[in-house]
Amino acid sequence: MAKSKEIRVTINLECINCAENFEKRCRGISRYTTQKNRRNTSMRLELKKFCRYCGGHTIHKEIKK
């Protein structure tokens, strides 16, 4: 039998403010690891999470591994 695709996949979320200004500050990039259901959320995930480098809640987008 063929192996089916997993419904739940592990993804990485990255702060968009840190990614854009990484060269200027050089403090780091905030990343979170979470899971999503492929059937319910087929598009890229965006969540508002706390970034310790920016010092506040910012938008974190799903990135490729």
Side-chain angles (χ1 to χ4, degrees):
M1 294 187 106
K3 187 176 180 181
S4 63
K5 288 187 178 180
E6 295 180 15
I7 296 171
R8 282 225 165 264
V9 292
T10 304
I11 59 167
N12 291 326
L13 300 173
E14 183 177 89
C15 177
I16 59 172
N17 291 342
C18 292
E20 291 173 357
N21 301 326
F22 181 67
E23 295 170 357
K24 295 177 185 176
R25 289 192 230 166
C26 294
R27 293 181 63 194
I29 297 176
S30 174
R31 289 196 175 143
Y32 284 92
T33 303
T34 187
Q35 292 184 342
K36 78 171 185 178
N37 189 327
R38 209 181 278 196
R39 289 184 186 165
N40 296 338
T41 53
S42 58
M43 298 180 67
R44 294 204 179 248
L45 193 62
E46 288 186 12
L47 294 175
K48 205 166 190 183
K49 305 284 270 178
F50 181 78
C51 177
R52 62 182 180 182
Y53 301 111
C54 296
H57 287 83
T58 59
I59 296 175
H60 285 66
K61 287 187 177 181
E62 180 181 342
I63 59 169
K64 290 186 177 179
K65 288 187 177 182

